[in-house]
Amino acid sequence: MGFRFENDRRTAVVIVDAQEESQYFLSGGITKQRIGQFVQNYTEKRLNNSQRSVPAASAAPSPVVAIVDLNSANFVSFLKASSDKDLCILFYAKWCLACTVFMHHYMEVASYFKEANIAFARIDADLNDLPWEYRVHEFPSLLLFPAGRSGDSVRFPRHIPRTLSNVVQFIVRYSKTHLKNFLRRQCDDVCLRANRRKVINAIDEASRKHRHSLARRADAWRLLVQGQSSSKAFLADATRQSKLAVSTSSKIANLKRFFITPTV
């Protein structure tokens, strides 16, 4: 709930309807008669829901940044007008330091996808009251509204770092737009080869750590077996682990061949 005080006034009369998730604010002077009329108007459903709204910074997407600034007055209409495309909306607050930091990444992502069928917008959700189904309780919050299915919005997971690459992966995963050809245009052959090399290096590192872990286990079991000659289970387990290491190395080799082989 939120509302603006008039001038320097710090006393207000507000009716909060928890069931309808709405609030009603008594404007003007506060007197016994006006409060009584205010309550009567509420019971007779003659009051309009009070919503805070600040003017949007811009009414159209910038050709450079490609982000639309929204407020409570145009939020729902913009959502409906953009129903034929995927829509990303950043909910932020001006006092939120994390929002300021993330805003730079969000602008980069919007610029990256500016030629795709994806719209980007942002709204100061601390100063703009929205219908309950669009309200957020932490800042920043990034929501993706899939094309044609805005009711199935997806929130960027709070446990994942809000990095540029993670946001791009989030959009690619949940977008209804076919981004394969678009992403290919953004990454030439040199880019693809560099990415393959990164994947191969990551596979090599994971394989090395896995083999090292298996070797240490096998050595520990052999030492135990030397003191317990009747324990055949240790030998059998060590043998299985050795076979697993060989199998893992074979799978790693196949993955490396897949990524080294040109696919373009």
PDB file of all heavy atoms in Angstrom, residues 117-145:
ATOM      1  N   ASN A 117      12.135 -10.122 -31.924  1.00  0.00           N
ATOM      2  CA  ASN A 117      10.738  -9.800 -31.644  1.00  0.00           C
ATOM      3  C   ASN A 117      10.500  -9.813 -30.132  1.00  0.00           C
ATOM      4  O   ASN A 117       9.657 -10.539 -29.611  1.00  0.00           O
ATOM      5  CB  ASN A 117       9.814 -10.807 -32.339  1.00  0.00           C
ATOM      6  CG  ASN A 117       8.353 -10.377 -32.276  1.00  0.00           C
ATOM      7  OD1 ASN A 117       8.044  -9.194 -32.388  1.00  0.00           O
ATOM      8  ND2 ASN A 117       7.467 -11.331 -32.086  1.00  0.00           N
ATOM      9  N   ILE A 118      11.267  -9.002 -29.428  1.00  0.00           N
ATOM     10  CA  ILE A 118      11.178  -8.925 -27.974  1.00  0.00           C
ATOM     11  C   ILE A 118      11.125  -7.455 -27.568  1.00  0.00           C
ATOM     12  O   ILE A 118      11.924  -6.649 -28.041  1.00  0.00           O
ATOM     13  CB  ILE A 118      12.384  -9.598 -27.291  1.00  0.00           C
ATOM     14  CG1 ILE A 118      12.508 -11.056 -27.730  1.00  0.00           C
ATOM     15  CG2 ILE A 118      12.258  -9.523 -25.770  1.00  0.00           C
ATOM     16  CD1 ILE A 118      13.716 -11.765 -27.158  1.00  0.00           C
ATOM     17  N   ALA A 119      10.166  -7.110 -26.718  1.00  0.00           N
ATOM     18  CA  ALA A 119      10.047  -5.735 -26.222  1.00  0.00           C
ATOM     19  C   ALA A 119      10.624  -5.658 -24.812  1.00  0.00           C
ATOM     20  O   ALA A 119      10.500  -6.610 -24.029  1.00  0.00           O
ATOM     21  CB  ALA A 119       8.582  -5.295 -26.223  1.00  0.00           C
ATOM     22  N   PHE A 120      11.237  -4.529 -24.502  1.00  0.00           N
ATOM     23  CA  PHE A 120      11.822  -4.315 -23.184  1.00  0.00           C
ATOM     24  C   PHE A 120      11.227  -3.057 -22.567  1.00  0.00           C
ATOM     25  O   PHE A 120      11.088  -2.037 -23.238  1.00  0.00           O
ATOM     26  CB  PHE A 120      13.341  -4.182 -23.276  1.00  0.00           C
ATOM     27  CG  PHE A 120      14.043  -5.470 -23.614  1.00  0.00           C
ATOM     28  CD1 PHE A 120      14.180  -5.864 -24.938  1.00  0.00           C
ATOM     29  CD2 PHE A 120      14.537  -6.290 -22.614  1.00  0.00           C
ATOM     30  CE1 PHE A 120      14.811  -7.056 -25.261  1.00  0.00           C
ATOM     31  CE2 PHE A 120      15.176  -7.480 -22.934  1.00  0.00           C
ATOM     32  CZ  PHE A 120      15.316  -7.868 -24.249  1.00  0.00           C
ATOM     33  N   ALA A 121      10.880  -3.164 -21.290  1.00  0.00           N
ATOM     34  CA  ALA A 121      10.289  -2.026 -20.587  1.00  0.00           C
ATOM     35  C   ALA A 121      10.751  -2.047 -19.138  1.00  0.00           C
ATOM     36  O   ALA A 121      11.338  -3.035 -18.664  1.00  0.00           O
ATOM     37  CB  ALA A 121       8.767  -2.076 -20.666  1.00  0.00           C
ATOM     38  N   ARG A 122      10.489  -0.950 -18.435  1.00  0.00           N
ATOM     39  CA  ARG A 122      10.827  -0.874 -17.019  1.00  0.00           C
ATOM     40  C   ARG A 122       9.813   0.024 -16.333  1.00  0.00           C
ATOM     41  O   ARG A 122       9.202   0.894 -16.970  1.00  0.00           O
ATOM     42  CB  ARG A 122      12.239  -0.319 -16.829  1.00  0.00           C
ATOM     43  CG  ARG A 122      12.425   1.096 -17.350  1.00  0.00           C
ATOM     44  CD  ARG A 122      13.867   1.532 -17.271  1.00  0.00           C
ATOM     45  NE  ARG A 122      14.029   2.896 -17.808  1.00  0.00           N
ATOM     46  CZ  ARG A 122      15.189   3.518 -17.934  1.00  0.00           C
ATOM     47  NH1 ARG A 122      16.307   2.916 -17.557  1.00  0.00           N
ATOM     48  NH2 ARG A 122      15.252   4.737 -18.429  1.00  0.00           N
ATOM     49  N   ILE A 123       9.649  -0.180 -15.037  1.00  0.00           N
ATOM     50  CA  ILE A 123       8.699   0.628 -14.278  1.00  0.00           C
ATOM     51  C   ILE A 123       9.199   0.782 -12.848  1.00  0.00           C
ATOM     52  O   ILE A 123       9.722  -0.160 -12.250  1.00  0.00           O
ATOM     53  CB  ILE A 123       7.284  -0.004 -14.288  1.00  0.00           C
ATOM     54  CG1 ILE A 123       6.297   0.895 -13.554  1.00  0.00           C
ATOM     55  CG2 ILE A 123       7.296  -1.407 -13.694  1.00  0.00           C
ATOM     56  CD1 ILE A 123       4.848   0.468 -13.728  1.00  0.00           C
ATOM     57  N   ASP A 124       9.076   1.982 -12.337  1.00  0.00           N
ATOM     58  CA  ASP A 124       9.399   2.237 -10.933  1.00  0.00           C
ATOM     59  C   ASP A 124       8.217   1.723 -10.112  1.00  0.00           C
ATOM     60  O   ASP A 124       7.234   2.431  -9.892  1.00  0.00           O
ATOM     61  CB  ASP A 124       9.620   3.737 -10.701  1.00  0.00           C
ATOM     62  CG  ASP A 124      10.127   4.041  -9.300  1.00  0.00           C
ATOM     63  OD1 ASP A 124       9.893   3.216  -8.395  1.00  0.00           O
ATOM     64  OD2 ASP A 124      10.749   5.103  -9.103  1.00  0.00           O
ATOM     65  N   ALA A 125       8.319   0.480  -9.670  1.00  0.00           N
ATOM     66  CA  ALA A 125       7.205  -0.158  -8.975  1.00  0.00           C
ATOM     67  C   ALA A 125       7.049   0.340  -7.546  1.00  0.00           C
ATOM     68  O   ALA A 125       6.074  -0.020  -6.876  1.00  0.00           O
ATOM     69  CB  ALA A 125       7.398  -1.678  -8.981  1.00  0.00           C
ATOM     70  N   ASP A 126       7.991   1.162  -7.083  1.00  0.00           N
ATOM     71  CA  ASP A 126       7.863   1.737  -5.755  1.00  0.00           C
ATOM     72  C   ASP A 126       6.957   2.958  -5.774  1.00  0.00           C
ATOM     73  O   ASP A 126       6.303   3.274  -4.779  1.00  0.00           O
ATOM     74  CB  ASP A 126       9.247   2.107  -5.227  1.00  0.00           C
ATOM     75  CG  ASP A 126       9.199   2.666  -3.817  1.00  0.00           C
ATOM     76  OD1 ASP A 126       8.565   2.022  -2.954  1.00  0.00           O
ATOM     77  OD2 ASP A 126       9.786   3.727  -3.571  1.00  0.00           O
ATOM     78  N   LEU A 127       6.892   3.674  -6.917  1.00  0.00           N
ATOM     79  CA  LEU A 127       6.078   4.885  -7.034  1.00  0.00           C
ATOM     80  C   LEU A 127       4.842   4.699  -7.891  1.00  0.00           C
ATOM     81  O   LEU A 127       4.061   5.629  -8.044  1.00  0.00           O
ATOM     82  CB  LEU A 127       6.931   6.029  -7.612  1.00  0.00           C
ATOM     83  CG  LEU A 127       8.121   6.479  -6.767  1.00  0.00           C
ATOM     84  CD1 LEU A 127       8.874   7.599  -7.464  1.00  0.00           C
ATOM     85  CD2 LEU A 127       7.671   6.917  -5.380  1.00  0.00           C
ATOM     86  N   ASN A 128       4.687   3.517  -8.477  1.00  0.00           N
ATOM     87  CA  ASN A 128       3.526   3.242  -9.327  1.00  0.00           C
ATOM     88  C   ASN A 128       2.793   2.008  -8.825  1.00  0.00           C
ATOM     89  O   ASN A 128       3.350   0.908  -8.808  1.00  0.00           O
ATOM     90  CB  ASN A 128       3.960   3.023 -10.772  1.00  0.00           C
ATOM     91  CG  ASN A 128       4.434   4.286 -11.443  1.00  0.00           C
ATOM     92  OD1 ASN A 128       3.635   5.089 -11.928  1.00  0.00           O
ATOM     93  ND2 ASN A 128       5.743   4.483 -11.464  1.00  0.00           N
ATOM     94  N   ASP A 129       1.552   2.203  -8.390  1.00  0.00           N
ATOM     95  CA  ASP A 129       0.745   1.075  -7.929  1.00  0.00           C
ATOM     96  C   ASP A 129       0.164   0.332  -9.126  1.00  0.00           C
ATOM     97  O   ASP A 129      -0.348   0.944 -10.071  1.00  0.00           O
ATOM     98  CB  ASP A 129      -0.393   1.574  -7.034  1.00  0.00           C
ATOM     99  CG  ASP A 129       0.127   2.164  -5.730  1.00  0.00           C
ATOM    100  OD1 ASP A 129       1.155   1.662  -5.244  1.00  0.00           O
ATOM    101  OD2 ASP A 129      -0.490   3.117  -5.215  1.00  0.00           O
ATOM    102  N   LEU A 130       0.233  -0.991  -9.078  1.00  0.00           N
ATOM    103  CA  LEU A 130      -0.234  -1.836 -10.173  1.00  0.00           C
ATOM    104  C   LEU A 130      -1.301  -2.794  -9.672  1.00  0.00           C
ATOM    105  O   LEU A 130      -1.421  -3.029  -8.454  1.00  0.00           O
ATOM    106  CB  LEU A 130       0.942  -2.634 -10.754  1.00  0.00           C
ATOM    107  CG  LEU A 130       2.075  -1.819 -11.372  1.00  0.00           C
ATOM    108  CD1 LEU A 130       3.237  -2.734 -11.746  1.00  0.00           C
ATOM    109  CD2 LEU A 130       1.589  -1.044 -12.585  1.00  0.00           C
ATOM    110  N   PRO A 131      -2.083  -3.371 -10.578  1.00  0.00           N
ATOM    111  CA  PRO A 131      -3.018  -4.425 -10.167  1.00  0.00           C
ATOM    112  C   PRO A 131      -2.272  -5.530  -9.413  1.00  0.00           C
ATOM    113  O   PRO A 131      -1.090  -5.789  -9.679  1.00  0.00           O
ATOM    114  CB  PRO A 131      -3.579  -4.931 -11.504  1.00  0.00           C
ATOM    115  CG  PRO A 131      -3.450  -3.759 -12.422  1.00  0.00           C
ATOM    116  CD  PRO A 131      -2.187  -3.069 -12.020  1.00  0.00           C
ATOM    117  N   TRP A 132      -2.966  -6.201  -8.506  1.00  0.00           N
ATOM    118  CA  TRP A 132      -2.294  -7.136  -7.598  1.00  0.00           C
ATOM    119  C   TRP A 132      -1.527  -8.222  -8.328  1.00  0.00           C
ATOM    120  O   TRP A 132      -0.476  -8.676  -7.869  1.00  0.00           O
ATOM    121  CB  TRP A 132      -3.324  -7.768  -6.656  1.00  0.00           C
ATOM    122  CG  TRP A 132      -4.329  -8.648  -7.367  1.00  0.00           C
ATOM    123  CD1 TRP A 132      -5.537  -8.269  -7.855  1.00  0.00           C
ATOM    124  CD2 TRP A 132      -4.196 -10.032  -7.652  1.00  0.00           C
ATOM    125  NE1 TRP A 132      -6.174  -9.325  -8.451  1.00  0.00           N
ATOM    126  CE2 TRP A 132      -5.371 -10.435  -8.328  1.00  0.00           C
ATOM    127  CE3 TRP A 132      -3.212 -10.986  -7.402  1.00  0.00           C
ATOM    128  CZ2 TRP A 132      -5.583 -11.739  -8.767  1.00  0.00           C
ATOM    129  CZ3 TRP A 132      -3.413 -12.292  -7.837  1.00  0.00           C
ATOM    130  CH2 TRP A 132      -4.592 -12.649  -8.504  1.00  0.00           C
ATOM    131  N   GLU A 133      -2.007  -8.652  -9.508  1.00  0.00           N
ATOM    132  CA  GLU A 133      -1.332  -9.750 -10.206  1.00  0.00           C
ATOM    133  C   GLU A 133       0.023  -9.347 -10.795  1.00  0.00           C
ATOM    134  O   GLU A 133       0.795 -10.201 -11.225  1.00  0.00           O
ATOM    135  CB  GLU A 133      -2.221 -10.323 -11.317  1.00  0.00           C
ATOM    136  CG  GLU A 133      -2.572  -9.356 -12.433  1.00  0.00           C
ATOM    137  CD  GLU A 133      -3.884  -8.632 -12.197  1.00  0.00           C
ATOM    138  OE1 GLU A 133      -4.222  -8.409 -11.011  1.00  0.00           O
ATOM    139  OE2 GLU A 133      -4.561  -8.297 -13.180  1.00  0.00           O
ATOM    140  N   TYR A 134       0.305  -8.051 -10.807  1.00  0.00           N
ATOM    141  CA  TYR A 134       1.577  -7.574 -11.356  1.00  0.00           C
ATOM    142  C   TYR A 134       2.486  -6.969 -10.280  1.00  0.00           C
ATOM    143  O   TYR A 134       3.531  -6.418 -10.609  1.00  0.00           O
ATOM    144  CB  TYR A 134       1.327  -6.529 -12.443  1.00  0.00           C
ATOM    145  CG  TYR A 134       0.486  -7.033 -13.586  1.00  0.00           C
ATOM    146  CD1 TYR A 134      -0.751  -6.452 -13.874  1.00  0.00           C
ATOM    147  CD2 TYR A 134       0.912  -8.094 -14.375  1.00  0.00           C
ATOM    148  CE1 TYR A 134      -1.529  -6.916 -14.915  1.00  0.00           C
ATOM    149  CE2 TYR A 134       0.129  -8.564 -15.414  1.00  0.00           C
ATOM    150  CZ  TYR A 134      -1.086  -7.974 -15.684  1.00  0.00           C
ATOM    151  OH  TYR A 134      -1.863  -8.438 -16.712  1.00  0.00           O
ATOM    152  N   ARG A 135       2.117  -7.074  -9.041  1.00  0.00           N
ATOM    153  CA  ARG A 135       2.913  -6.477  -7.984  1.00  0.00           C
ATOM    154  C   ARG A 135       4.095  -7.379  -7.609  1.00  0.00           C
ATOM    155  O   ARG A 135       3.989  -8.599  -7.643  1.00  0.00           O
ATOM    156  CB  ARG A 135       2.055  -6.205  -6.747  1.00  0.00           C
ATOM    157  CG  ARG A 135       0.992  -5.145  -6.990  1.00  0.00           C
ATOM    158  CD  ARG A 135       0.106  -4.955  -5.782  1.00  0.00           C
ATOM    159  NE  ARG A 135      -0.996  -4.032  -6.082  1.00  0.00           N
ATOM    160  CZ  ARG A 135      -1.985  -3.767  -5.256  1.00  0.00           C
ATOM    161  NH1 ARG A 135      -2.024  -4.345  -4.061  1.00  0.00           N
ATOM    162  NH2 ARG A 135      -2.955  -2.932  -5.601  1.00  0.00           N
ATOM    163  N   VAL A 136       5.195  -6.756  -7.284  1.00  0.00           N
ATOM    164  CA  VAL A 136       6.383  -7.489  -6.846  1.00  0.00           C
ATOM    165  C   VAL A 136       6.736  -7.036  -5.436  1.00  0.00           C
ATOM    166  O   VAL A 136       6.330  -5.954  -4.995  1.00  0.00           O
ATOM    167  CB  VAL A 136       7.575  -7.256  -7.798  1.00  0.00           C
ATOM    168  CG1 VAL A 136       7.253  -7.737  -9.199  1.00  0.00           C
ATOM    169  CG2 VAL A 136       7.971  -5.779  -7.829  1.00  0.00           C
ATOM    170  N   HIS A 137       7.503  -7.871  -4.742  1.00  0.00           N
ATOM    171  CA  HIS A 137       7.815  -7.580  -3.348  1.00  0.00           C
ATOM    172  C   HIS A 137       9.310  -7.448  -3.100  1.00  0.00           C
ATOM    173  O   HIS A 137       9.737  -7.383  -1.947  1.00  0.00           O
ATOM    174  CB  HIS A 137       7.224  -8.669  -2.448  1.00  0.00           C
ATOM    175  CG  HIS A 137       5.739  -8.836  -2.603  1.00  0.00           C
ATOM    176  ND1 HIS A 137       4.842  -7.903  -2.118  1.00  0.00           N
ATOM    177  CD2 HIS A 137       4.999  -9.795  -3.214  1.00  0.00           C
ATOM    178  CE1 HIS A 137       3.606  -8.296  -2.407  1.00  0.00           C
ATOM    179  NE2 HIS A 137       3.672  -9.433  -3.070  1.00  0.00           N
ATOM    180  N   GLU A 138      10.091  -7.434  -4.165  1.00  0.00           N
ATOM    181  CA  GLU A 138      11.522  -7.211  -4.013  1.00  0.00           C
ATOM    182  C   GLU A 138      12.058  -6.557  -5.272  1.00  0.00           C
ATOM    183  O   GLU A 138      11.518  -6.724  -6.364  1.00  0.00           O
ATOM    184  CB  GLU A 138      12.251  -8.528  -3.731  1.00  0.00           C
ATOM    185  CG  GLU A 138      12.123  -9.562  -4.843  1.00  0.00           C
ATOM    186  CD  GLU A 138      12.859 -10.848  -4.499  1.00  0.00           C
ATOM    187  OE1 GLU A 138      12.954 -11.172  -3.307  1.00  0.00           O
ATOM    188  OE2 GLU A 138      13.334 -11.517  -5.428  1.00  0.00           O
ATOM    189  N   PHE A 139      13.121  -5.799  -5.105  1.00  0.00           N
ATOM    190  CA  PHE A 139      13.738  -5.069  -6.218  1.00  0.00           C
ATOM    191  C   PHE A 139      15.219  -5.446  -6.317  1.00  0.00           C
ATOM    192  O   PHE A 139      15.885  -5.615  -5.289  1.00  0.00           O
ATOM    193  CB  PHE A 139      13.604  -3.562  -6.012  1.00  0.00           C
ATOM    194  CG  PHE A 139      12.185  -3.077  -5.848  1.00  0.00           C
ATOM    195  CD1 PHE A 139      11.740  -2.600  -4.623  1.00  0.00           C
ATOM    196  CD2 PHE A 139      11.307  -3.105  -6.912  1.00  0.00           C
ATOM    197  CE1 PHE A 139      10.447  -2.144  -4.466  1.00  0.00           C
ATOM    198  CE2 PHE A 139      10.010  -2.653  -6.769  1.00  0.00           C
ATOM    199  CZ  PHE A 139       9.581  -2.177  -5.542  1.00  0.00           C
ATOM    200  N   PRO A 140      15.737  -5.554  -7.541  1.00  0.00           N
ATOM    201  CA  PRO A 140      14.979  -5.511  -8.795  1.00  0.00           C
ATOM    202  C   PRO A 140      14.313  -6.856  -9.076  1.00  0.00           C
ATOM    203  O   PRO A 140      14.791  -7.893  -8.612  1.00  0.00           O
ATOM    204  CB  PRO A 140      16.071  -5.223  -9.835  1.00  0.00           C
ATOM    205  CG  PRO A 140      17.289  -5.870  -9.261  1.00  0.00           C
ATOM    206  CD  PRO A 140      17.195  -5.703  -7.770  1.00  0.00           C
ATOM    207  N   SER A 141      13.236  -6.828  -9.833  1.00  0.00           N
ATOM    208  CA  SER A 141      12.570  -8.048 -10.286  1.00  0.00           C
ATOM    209  C   SER A 141      12.409  -7.969 -11.796  1.00  0.00           C
ATOM    210  O   SER A 141      11.920  -6.962 -12.324  1.00  0.00           O
ATOM    211  CB  SER A 141      11.199  -8.204  -9.628  1.00  0.00           C
ATOM    212  OG  SER A 141      11.309  -8.543  -8.259  1.00  0.00           O
ATOM    213  N   LEU A 142      12.824  -9.023 -12.469  1.00  0.00           N
ATOM    214  CA  LEU A 142      12.715  -9.090 -13.928  1.00  0.00           C
ATOM    215  C   LEU A 142      11.715 -10.160 -14.297  1.00  0.00           C
ATOM    216  O   LEU A 142      11.865 -11.322 -13.913  1.00  0.00           O
ATOM    217  CB  LEU A 142      14.080  -9.401 -14.551  1.00  0.00           C
ATOM    218  CG  LEU A 142      14.103  -9.556 -16.080  1.00  0.00           C
ATOM    219  CD1 LEU A 142      13.693  -8.251 -16.760  1.00  0.00           C
ATOM    220  CD2 LEU A 142      15.491  -9.988 -16.556  1.00  0.00           C
ATOM    221  N   LEU A 143      10.674  -9.764 -15.042  1.00  0.00           N
ATOM    222  CA  LEU A 143       9.639 -10.703 -15.468  1.00  0.00           C
ATOM    223  C   LEU A 143       9.608 -10.780 -16.983  1.00  0.00           C
ATOM    224  O   LEU A 143       9.739  -9.759 -17.670  1.00  0.00           O
ATOM    225  CB  LEU A 143       8.259 -10.279 -14.957  1.00  0.00           C
ATOM    226  CG  LEU A 143       7.817 -10.852 -13.596  1.00  0.00           C
ATOM    227  CD1 LEU A 143       8.681 -10.281 -12.473  1.00  0.00           C
ATOM    228  CD2 LEU A 143       6.345 -10.558 -13.333  1.00  0.00           C
ATOM    229  N   LEU A 144       9.430 -11.995 -17.488  1.00  0.00           N
ATOM    230  CA  LEU A 144       9.274 -12.221 -18.924  1.00  0.00           C
ATOM    231  C   LEU A 144       7.846 -12.667 -19.188  1.00  0.00           C
ATOM    232  O   LEU A 144       7.382 -13.661 -18.620  1.00  0.00           O
ATOM    233  CB  LEU A 144      10.255 -13.285 -19.420  1.00  0.00           C
ATOM    234  CG  LEU A 144      10.085 -13.735 -20.872  1.00  0.00           C
ATOM    235  CD1 LEU A 144      10.388 -12.577 -21.824  1.00  0.00           C
ATOM    236  CD2 LEU A 144      10.998 -14.913 -21.195  1.00  0.00           C
ATOM    237  N   PHE A 145       7.137 -11.918 -20.039  1.00  0.00           N
ATOM    238  CA  PHE A 145       5.772 -12.252 -20.426  1.00  0.00           C
ATOM    239  C   PHE A 145       5.835 -12.853 -21.834  1.00  0.00           C
ATOM    240  O   PHE A 145       6.072 -12.126 -22.804  1.00  0.00           O
ATOM    241  CB  PHE A 145       4.879 -11.009 -20.418  1.00  0.00           C
ATOM    242  CG  PHE A 145       4.735 -10.372 -19.059  1.00  0.00           C
ATOM    243  CD1 PHE A 145       5.693  -9.481 -18.580  1.00  0.00           C
ATOM    244  CD2 PHE A 145       3.657 -10.670 -18.253  1.00  0.00           C
ATOM    245  CE1 PHE A 145       5.572  -8.895 -17.330  1.00  0.00           C
ATOM    246  CE2 PHE A 145       3.517 -10.082 -16.996  1.00  0.00           C
ATOM    247  CZ  PHE A 145       4.478  -9.203 -16.534  1.00  0.00           C
TER     248      PHE A 145
END
